[in-house]
Amino acid sequence: MKRFALFLFSGSVALIAGCSGPESPETVLEDYMNEWKEDDYNGMYALFTEETKASITEQQFVEQYGKIMRDIEAENVAVTLPAEEDVKEDNEQTSRLPFSVEMDTLAGPVSFEKEAVMKLEETEEGEAWLIDWDPSFLLPDYGEGDKVRIQALEAERGRIFDRNGSSLAVNGSALEIGVNAGAIDEAGKASFAVLLGVEKAFIDEQLGQSWVQEGYFVPLKTVSEQNKALIQKATAIPGVTSAAKPVREYPYGAAAAHLTGYTGEINAEELKDNEGYAQGDQIGKRGLEQLYEEQLKETDGVQIFIDKEKAEPVIIAKTEPQNGQDVTVTINAELQKMLYEQYEGDPGTASAVDPKTGHVLALVSSPSFDPNAFALGLSGEQYTALQDDPKQPLLNRFAAAYSPGSTIKPVTASIAMKAGKLNPVEGKTITGLQWQKDSSWGNYRVTRVSESSAPVDLESAIVASDNIYFAMAALDTGADQMKEGLSSFGFGEDNPFAYPLRESQISNSGSFDSEILLADTGYGQGEVLTSMTHLASVYGTFLNNGSLMTPLLLADAEPSVWKKDLVSEQQIASIQNGLRGVVERGTGRPANIEGLTISGKTGTAEIKSEQGTTGKENGLFVSYDAGNPAFVLALLVEDAAEAGGSRAAAEKAGAFYTKWMTYNK
């Protein structure tokens, strides 16, 4: 039992010390309260009248009423004893003493007033005032034959909705199938074990838990209510039954799994770090469920009531349940699902961002997993299979940072133009497929895909994705101004997005330690890294008058500018023309959809351990519909060399835009 403090507030009853005869009834009542304070139910029982003792044995009293006080977690009991004028003497053998009690319980405060009947009786030690006790001295309205019940009042976890009110995470129900202890024989256990795919020893182990008594329901597996075949077969086994269980449901399944995350039973480590939880509680494990745990978390209520044999139950204390808060995010769930489907299980990630508001409309990671399976409870074998899958379905790719490849080139151009080091309409004469600044570079050269027969201006450089042009632009800008320019686009800074993303970096050291690194960074190699959400946000600058909006996840968050005046209106026009040209006549042609005006930039990022070596290629495509730029889409396909590198990304984007156009008609 939780130890409780007992406060006695005596009235003005005059107690005359040293007089002969029995202690006063007031003193005996105070002694009773002190025994209560000390948790001494034997001591309390010793102060009862013979009539009381005849109705209940000492053992019954100690066990029954001690348990009640422990169960309701009574503490801070305060008792007010009577003032002298409140004492009522019926006769020389009977006195009535009013008292009041206040206490805290697990269901809230309880207070009541009672009148103790004190009787003068003959004992072995002589006459003594004793208490004519009844159960209502402990709890109001409690009488013989009544039962004290504690009932949990379940609250509901907050739900997660997308911007249009579609459900991303809601409260549903499943079935727990298990056995009634003592009602299943060995043959039944064997059959049930085969059905569940477990060893019979597992069932015996669960039935052998300390809390299990005969007739108790012992749950063994949580299954979807839709799994009717398994439920029917299981419950046909004598002793096997089922019970409803609330579970979290994720209607968009794997398409949004890395975004929503899932809930699970809190573990020992999480119990240490989180207040207000108890063993067996559910807690957000990943994604939005974990990110917004504080808002989503529900608080169950509880009530203590007296269950009477021949009357309605009497509630003596009640704490109302508090449902968790619903959370609405900026995500468009249908857009999210449609993007995810384009991957068909291929590894990659995509993000869509509204350039005017910063609202993040999609956060896709592929391949993925079914969060509903986690909510129901995965077996160790199932989880190991996910962990060992070479495609890493448990890896959240949209939270990672990647080399942007050639998709960084419009950013390099913006920085160079703002620094006054690049005139977008002035052509650069570049010969051959390879170039180096001077002999100090040794054997290292920048390579481009195709030669040009005319001076290269910004628009043609973007369309042809000319590595040499952008390497020159970065070198002309210089290390300091290039670093400052990338910082102005948010590289090397904490991203203000609510969902934790890996910081986009300028380089491993945060600066440019060599001219080669600076040149490589200009065309998207080097050590520059970015998340797809940041990359999509950066491209939003070219659609928002040079302002980079703060990426937002909560639908009710107020849009705000993160960075401003990054590029002028005239410079934006040159970049936009180049981006449209990429799709019309360049590497982005797979996304040139009739009825839309898709503009964008492809990129291929070679991931290698050091210069001069080869590695796997990631294909990227950052795009938007110039006719209706509702969002910028940054899409990446991992290890895409065999699928055509950046072409694979452009093809997936093109397929998406075609379906999205049809969906919105």
Side-chain angles (χ1 to χ4, degrees):
M1 174 179 178
K2 290 186 175 181
R3 178 65 58 189
F4 59 78
L6 178 64
F7 304 98
L8 300 178
F9 302 94
S10 297
S12 56
V13 175
L15 302 179
I16 303 174
C19 294
S20 60
E23 288 185 326
S24 68
E26 296 83 9
T27 301
V28 174
L29 183 59
E30 186 170 350
D31 289 343
Y32 167 83
M33 298 303 176
N34 282 325
E35 300 293 359
W36 195 5
K37 170 185 175 182
E38 296 299 323
D39 231 4
D40 186 355
Y41 289 89
N42 297 97
M44 295 165 67
Y45 188 84
L47 300 175
F48 293 167
T49 63
E50 289 303 315
E51 183 180 353
T52 298
K53 291 178 178 179
S55 65
I56 187 170
T57 67
E58 183 172 358
Q59 183 178 351
Q60 288 174 331
F61 175 79
V62 171
E63 291 179 356
Q64 180 178 344
Y65 295 103
K67 183 178 185 304
I68 289 172
M69 297 303 283
R70 288 191 298 272
D71 288 348
I72 69 172
E73 298 182 12
E75 59 184 1
N76 300 327
V77 178
V79 180
T80 302
L81 296 176
E84 184 176 8
E85 60 271 17
D86 294 328
V87 176
K88 302 174 184 176
E89 291 189 7
D90 291 356
N91 50 55
E92 291 181 356
Q93 277 73 41
T94 305
S95 289
R96 297 178 182 273
L97 306 182
F99 66 93
S100 60
V101 177
E102 295 179 358
M103 70 176 79
D104 294 326
T105 71
L106 59 83
V110 173
S111 62
F112 58 94
E113 294 181 352
K114 294 300 296 182
E115 185 177 70
V117 177
M118 311 292 295
K119 293 182 177 179
L120 186 62
E121 293 189 354
E122 191 69 38
T123 69
E124 292 180 0
E125 289 79 21
E127 287 188 329
W129 285 98
L130 299 173
I131 302 171
D132 197 11
W133 190 85
D134 74 66
S136 63
F137 285 15
L138 277 183
L139 292 172
D141 296 301
Y142 185 42
E144 288 294 338
D146 293 348
K147 304 292 184 183
V148 177
R149 306 293 191 193
I150 299 170
Q151 181 185 19
L153 305 174
E154 290 188 355
E156 288 196 343
R157 186 173 177 84
R159 299 162 297 177
I160 304 175
F161 298 104
D162 85 336
R163 64 189 301 110
N164 298 315
S166 295
S167 299
L168 292 171
V170 293
N171 301 306
S173 62
L175 282 181
E176 284 185 315
I177 51 177
V179 299
N180 288 327
I184 186 169
D185 59 21
E186 295 303 309
K189 291 179 189 176
S191 299
F192 195 25
V194 170
L195 200 58
L196 295 182
V198 300
E199 297 292 330
K200 176 177 169 292
F202 169 75
I203 297 177
D204 289 328
E205 180 183 334
Q206 299 306 303
L207 286 169
Q209 296 177 88
S210 60
W211 61 269
V212 177
Q213 298 181 35
E214 187 165 340
Y216 277 26
F217 173 67
V218 180
L220 295 175
K221 186 178 181 65
T222 303
V223 299
S224 167
E225 291 179 330
Q226 305 307 313
N227 197 346
K228 298 186 185 301
L230 175 62
I231 295 168
Q232 186 175 5
K233 289 179 182 178
T235 52
I237 299 171
V240 176
T241 187
S242 64
K245 176 186 177 181
V247 294
R248 202 68 160 161
E249 291 182 353
Y250 303 95
Y252 284 85
H258 288 283
L259 170 64
T260 60
Y262 53 86
T263 60
E265 188 170 317
I266 194 167
N267 59 39
E269 193 63 33
E270 291 165 336
L271 270 174
K272 291 179 186 176
D273 300 333
N274 295 274
E275 294 183 3
Y277 291 81
Q279 189 172 355
D281 284 352
Q282 296 285 304
I283 191 171
K285 297 284 188 177
R286 294 180 62 162
L288 298 175
E289 293 280 28
Q290 184 178 43
L291 182 63
Y292 294 114
E293 172 64 23
E294 186 175 342
Q295 293 95 315
L296 295 168
K297 182 184 184 301
E298 76 281 19
T299 302
D300 287 342
V302 62
Q303 68 178 6
I304 301 170
F305 64 95
I306 307 297
D307 191 4
K308 294 184 171 293
E309 287 185 317
K310 298 181 180 179
E312 291 297 314
V314 177
I315 297 173
I316 62 172
K318 183 177 182 180
T319 299
E320 295 288 348
Q322 299 293 321
N323 290 337
Q325 299 174 32
D326 291 340
V327 171
T328 301
V329 292
T330 57
I331 298 295
N332 183 319
E334 290 301 318
L335 189 153
Q336 170 93 15
K337 178 184 177 185
M338 205 170 290
L339 271 175
Y340 175 77
E341 290 172 345
Q342 304 317 307
Y343 280 91
E344 299 180 318
D346 294 336
T349 178
S351 181
V353 180
D354 185 328
K356 298 293 184 181
T357 64
H359 285 180
V360 176
L361 305 180
L363 289 166
V364 172
S365 180
S366 174
S368 187
F369 57 90
D370 182 6
N372 295 293
F374 277 83
L376 292 173
L378 285 182
S379 68
E381 292 79 7
Q382 289 173 313
Y383 188 75
T384 299
L386 287 170
Q387 280 188 314
D388 294 344
D389 189 325
K391 288 189 175 182
Q392 298 180 281
L394 295 179
L395 175 64
N396 184 355
R397 289 169 164 85
F398 72 70
Y402 294 83
S403 173
S406 294
T407 62
I408 202 68
K409 289 172 180 175
V411 179
T412 299
S414 299
I415 295 168
M417 287 188 289
K418 188 170 185 180
K421 303 297 183 180
L422 178 68
N423 184 337
V425 297
E426 182 180 296
K428 291 180 183 290
T429 300
I430 304 172
T431 59
L433 293 177
Q434 292 188 323
W435 173 84
Q436 63 175 192
K437 180 185 175 185
D438 53 42
S439 60
S440 67
W441 284 17
N443 293 325
Y444 184 73
R445 288 171 171 79
V446 176
T447 301
R448 61 179 179 172
V449 176
S450 60
E451 294 190 56
S452 58
S453 58
V456 182
D457 61 12
L458 178 57
E459 182 178 339
S460 62
I462 291 175
V463 174
S465 199
D466 194 321
N467 290 344
I468 296 174
Y469 181 93
F470 292 100
M472 288 178 171
L475 289 170
D476 291 342
T477 303
D480 290 342
Q481 284 186 295
M482 193 67 183
K483 176 183 176 181
E484 182 181 340
L486 285 170
S487 296
S488 72
F489 277 93
F491 287 80
E493 294 186 12
D494 288 336
N495 194 299
F497 190 44
Y499 197 108
L501 305 176
R502 180 173 169 182
E503 178 185 291
S504 296
Q505 70 173 40
I506 294 170
S507 70
N508 294 342
S509 66
S511 59
F512 299 109
D513 303 325
S514 70
E515 285 186 333
I516 291 176
L517 179 60
L518 176 60
D520 281 349
T521 301
Y523 62 93
Q525 293 297 138
E527 297 166 351
V528 62
L529 298 173
T530 178
S531 66
M532 292 305 101
T533 299
H534 187 196
L535 189 57
S537 297
V538 164
Y539 268 64
T541 304
F542 310 134
L543 299 167
N544 195 37
N545 301 316
S547 290
L548 171 59
M549 301 301 290
T550 301
L552 298 177
L553 185 57
L554 287 177
D556 60 359
E558 191 68 30
S560 64
V561 175
W562 179 19
K563 308 282 186 177
K564 62 181 180 179
D565 301 326
L566 297 176
V567 59
S568 71
E569 185 176 341
Q570 183 178 0
Q571 293 162 351
I572 286 173
S574 297
I575 291 172
Q576 288 181 342
N577 289 337
L579 295 178
R580 177 58 185 153
V582 168
V583 179
E584 282 186 309
R585 56 189 185 276
T587 53
R589 282 192 294 271
N592 196 21
I593 309 301
E594 185 178 352
L596 300 177
T597 315
I598 304 300
S599 300
K601 182 72 189 79
T602 58
T604 300
E606 186 176 8
I607 313 303
K608 51 189 178 181
S609 57
E610 58 184 30
Q611 294 286 359
T613 64
T614 59
K616 73 175 186 178
E617 290 183 357
N618 292 336
L620 299 94
F621 186 51
V622 184
S623 60
Y624 57 87
D625 178 8
N628 178 28
F631 55 84
V632 175
L633 170 63
L635 187 152
L636 177 146
V637 181
E638 286 186 6
D639 202 8
E642 293 185 5
S646 63
R647 181 178 181 85
E651 287 174 346
K652 289 185 186 300
F656 160 74
Y657 281 117
T658 300
K659 289 187 176 182
W660 187 245
M661 177 176 61
T662 302
Y663 175 79
N664 284 284
K665 280 186 178 179

